[in-house]
Amino acid sequence: MRAQQGQAAPRVARAASFVRALLLIGLIGTLGGLLELVLVLPGSEFPGVLVLYTVVFWVYLAAGLVAWYRRPSNPMAALILAGALVVYLSNLRNASPPILVGIGLVFTTTILAVIVHLLLAFPSGRLGSNAARVVVAGAYFVAVVLQAPLYLATSETVLETAIITQRLCGFTVMGATSLMLALRVRAADPAHRRVLLPLFSYGMFVVLGVPFATLLFDGFAPPTREVVQLVLLTGVPIAFVFGMLRGGFTHVGELADLGVWLSVDVAADSLQDALALTLGDDTVRLGLRGGAPGEFVDEAGETVNVVGRAQGREVVEVTVAGESVAVIEYDSRMNGNAEHVRRAGQVLAVALDRTRLSAELLRSQRELRESRTRIVEAADLERLRIAQDLHDGLQVQLVLLALEAQQIAGIADSSPSTKSAATTLRKRIDAAAADLRRLVHDVLPLTLTERGLSDAVEDLVDRMPIPTALEVHPPDLHLSEPVSNTAYFVVAEALANTVKHADAASARVSLVQTAGALHIHVSDSGRGGVIVEGRGLRGLADRVDALGGTVNLRSPDGGGMALTVELPCEL
C-alpha cells in the first residue's frame, strides 16, 4: 500500500503546483486591474464606465483560468485569456500617458474579433473548417487593420470613410458568424445541441448587438453606448463557463498523470476510462486489434465497430514497434488536436498491447467454452435420439415378442413342454424389456425431457433406499436443456455413489436457482472419502466445466459427502 501511495504522490504534487500557478496568475491579474484603475480613474468624467471595463477584464480572466484548469491542453483557455488581455489594453486609452492611449486605441474593437474566434472554435479550441478560418481572419482584419485609420487619419473625410467601411465590413463578418453558429446548432446531435444552443444563442446576440448598439445609442449620452456594450461583453465569458459546466469542457487529466496511473496496479481499471479522463471525452471508444484483418475488440474480447468518420468523430491509430495494436475513436469537436489523442494512445501503447492479448485470450476462452457447450448439447441430443430409438424401436419389438410367446403358451393343443418353454421365454423377454427401460432411463430419462428437472430429481429421490430430503427453489425451475440435463446427471451420480459406496443412513438434495446460477447441493451421512477422480464424477466435472460452472467436493473420511455445484443460468 505504501508503494502505491508513493507512486500516486507525483500526480497530487503536480495538481497542487498547477493550481498554485493559476492562483498566482489570478492574483497578478487582480493587481493589474487595480493598477489600471489607478492609471485611468484620475480626472475621468465617467469613472463608473472605467471600473466596468476592469470588471469585464476580471470576468474574462476568471473564465480563462477555469477553462485552463479543466482542459490544460485546449486552446480555448488561451483565447479567453487573450480576450481578457484585449479588454485590459483597450481600457488604457482612457489613461493620461500618450503611449498608453495609443495602445488602447489599437485594441479598441479587437475584443469582437476574439469573441468571433471563441465562438467558432468552441469547444475544441480549433477552427474546424476553411469557412470558419476565413470569417475569423476577416474579423481580425476589421478589428485591427480597419481600426488603424480611426486613430491615424488626419482628415475628416478619411476618418468618415474609414468608419463607414469598418462598420459595413464588421456587419458582414458578424452576420456570417451568426449564420455559421446557427448552422452548427442545427447540425448538432441532441447531446451537443444542449451545450451549444445557450452559448451560441447568446453569442449571436452579442456579435450582432454590440455593433448595432453603436448605431442605436449613437445619439444618447456618451457612456450609455459603452455601458450597453460592456454589459453584453461581460456575458460572453459567463456563457462559456455555463457551456463548460453543461459538458462542453469536461475536466481532463494530463499525459504525465496517465503515465503515473499506469505505474500503479491497473488491473481493476479500464484503459478506455483512463483515456476518457485524460482526453476529457466521455464518448471515447477504444478498439483493440483483433485476430482478423479489420477486426476490433473491446477489453472484454467482444467485437466492436470502431469506424469514425461520422459527424464529429475521428480515429487515430496506436502502434507498438511499428505494429498497429489499437485505434481510438474520439469526438473531434471536443479534441481538435489529433496529435494529442495519438500521444495519449502512445503513453498507453504497452498497456494496450497487453490488454489486446488479454482480450484475445478472453475471446479464445469464450469460444472454447461455447464450443464445449455445443459438444455437450450435441451429446445430449444424441442421448435423446438413442433413448427414443430404444424406447420406440427395440422396446416395442420386445413387447410384441412377449405377446407372441404368451400366445404360444396359450394354445390349447400345445404340449406341456412347449407351454413351459413359451412361458419361460415370455418372462425372459419381460426381464430384457425391464433392463432396456432402465438403460433408456439411464441414458436420458423421459421424465426429465417431458416434465422437467424438478420432477425428474423428485423421481430419483423417491427411488432412493434411504431417507432423502429434497429442496427445490423456486418450485418451477426455468433452465436451458444443457443446464437441466447436467444438473440431473450430477444429482443422479451423487446419489448413486451414496447408495453404492457411502453406507449412509440419510441423504439430502437441494436445487436453488438465483439470478445468475443454479446451486446444486447433494450430501449424505456416509463414510466419506469420495474423490472426483472417479470416472463418473470426473466426467461430470468436465461437463460442468464445459458449461462454465464449478464443482466443490468435501468428503473427509468418516465425515460423509458434501457435493456443491454451481451452473451459470438466467432466472
Side-chain angles (χ1 to χ4, degrees), residues 427-450:
K427 292 179 179 179
R428 293 177 65 183
I429 292 174
D430 288 342
D435 290 340
L436 182 60
R437 282 193 295 272
R438 283 192 294 271
L439 176 61
V440 170
H441 186 276
D442 291 341
V443 170
L444 193 65
L446 296 180
T447 308
L448 176 63
T449 59
E450 295 175 355

Side-chain angles (χ1 to χ4, degrees), residues 258-283:
L258 186 59
V260 173
W261 178 84
L262 287 173
S263 68
V264 187
D265 181 16
V266 299
D269 295 293
S270 166
L271 293 179
Q272 181 167 294
D273 291 342
L275 273 176
L277 176 62
T278 302
L279 300 177
D281 180 5
D282 292 335
T283 68

Side-chain angles (χ1 to χ4, degrees), residues 144-462:
V144 178
V145 178
L146 295 185
Q147 178 70 14
L150 274 64
Y151 55 82
L152 296 177
T154 57
S155 166
E156 286 291 332
T157 304
V158 173
L159 181 60
E160 291 179 2
T161 303
I163 292 175
I164 294 174
T165 302
Q166 187 186 40
R167 287 180 178 178
L168 289 175
C169 294
F171 289 145
T172 302
V173 170
M174 298 309 169
T177 301
S178 299
L179 178 61
M180 294 186 67
L181 295 178
L183 292 176
R184 280 191 60 187
V185 170
R186 180 182 178 184
D189 56 73
H192 286 89
R193 188 179 296 120
R194 183 178 66 88
V195 177
L196 297 180
L197 185 58
L199 173 61
F200 283 5
S201 297
Y202 186 77
M204 288 186 284
F205 178 69
V206 170
V207 297
L208 294 176
V210 172
F212 275 106
T214 304
L215 300 177
L216 294 176
F217 297 94
D218 195 30
F220 287 72
T224 304
R225 182 180 63 190
E226 286 192 80
V227 169
V228 171
Q229 291 175 330
L230 286 172
V231 170
L232 292 176
L233 294 175
T234 305
V236 173
I238 296 175
F240 272 100
V241 170
F242 184 69
M244 297 174 201
L245 298 179
R246 285 176 65 87
F249 270 16
T250 306
H251 185 66
V252 301
E254 288 291 290
L255 294 182
D257 293 338
L258 186 59
V260 173
W261 178 84
L262 287 173
S263 68
V264 187
D265 181 16
V266 299
D269 295 293
S270 166
L271 293 179
Q272 181 167 294
D273 291 342
L275 273 176
L277 176 62
T278 302
L279 300 177
D281 180 5
D282 292 335
T283 68
V284 70
R285 297 179 65 201
L286 178 63
L288 306 171
R289 186 71 65 180
E295 181 188 25
F296 298 97
V297 298
D298 61 15
E299 294 172 76
E302 299 287 346
T303 301
V304 294
N305 183 23
V306 184
V307 293
R309 301 302 175 186
Q311 182 183 9
R313 308 293 296 179
E314 296 289 342
V315 170
V316 298
E317 189 176 41
V318 182
T319 60
V320 173
E323 180 182 355
S324 174
V325 297
V327 294
I328 302 171
E329 182 188 284
Y330 65 99
D331 189 341
S332 58
R333 293 165 294 193
M334 298 293 297
N335 294 282
N337 187 357
E339 187 57 34
H340 178 68
V341 180
R342 185 174 290 105
R343 286 199 302 269
Q346 290 303 138
V347 170
L348 287 175
V350 175
L352 286 173
D353 196 31
R354 181 187 63 192
T355 304
R356 178 181 64 85
L357 296 175
S358 299
E360 289 183 0
L361 178 59
L362 287 173
R363 185 176 63 173
S364 297
Q365 291 175 340
R366 184 176 64 254
E367 291 175 350
L368 176 60
R369 186 165 56 249
E370 291 173 351
S371 174
R372 296 176 68 183
T373 301
R374 288 193 296 270
I375 293 174
V376 170
E377 292 175 347
D380 286 345
L381 288 175
E382 187 63 16
R383 280 174 175 267
L384 179 60
R385 187 190 65 79
I386 293 173
Q388 289 176 338
D389 288 347
L390 291 175
H391 180 273
D392 300 337
L394 185 56
Q395 184 171 331
V396 171
Q397 293 179 25
L398 289 175
V399 171
L400 293 176
L401 289 174
L403 290 175
E404 291 181 6
Q406 182 65 32
Q407 289 175 354
I408 294 173
I411 296 175
D413 55 353
S414 297
S415 64
S417 60
T418 301
K419 290 182 179 182
S420 176
T423 301
T424 302
L425 177 61
R426 181 185 61 78
K427 292 179 179 179
R428 293 177 65 183
I429 292 174
D430 288 342
D435 290 340
L436 182 60
R437 282 193 295 272
R438 283 192 294 271
L439 176 61
V440 170
H441 186 276
D442 291 341
V443 170
L444 193 65
L446 296 180
T447 308
L448 176 63
T449 59
E450 295 175 355
R451 296 165 56 189
L453 178 62
S454 300
D455 289 342
V457 172
E458 184 177 357
D459 181 56
L460 281 176
V461 169
D462 289 342

Side-chain angles (χ1 to χ4, degrees), residues 468-480:
T468 303
L470 174 63
E471 176 191 4
V472 180
H473 181 77
D476 186 17
L477 298 174
H478 297 282
L479 303 167
S480 65

Side-chain angles (χ1 to χ4, degrees), residues 83-111:
L85 179 61
V86 165
V87 173
Y88 184 89
L89 295 176
S90 67
N91 195 22
L92 292 178
R93 69 180 185 275
N94 298 298
S96 298
I99 187 172
L100 297 182
V101 174
I103 293 173
L105 291 173
V106 171
F107 291 99
T108 299
T109 59
T110 309
I111 185 60

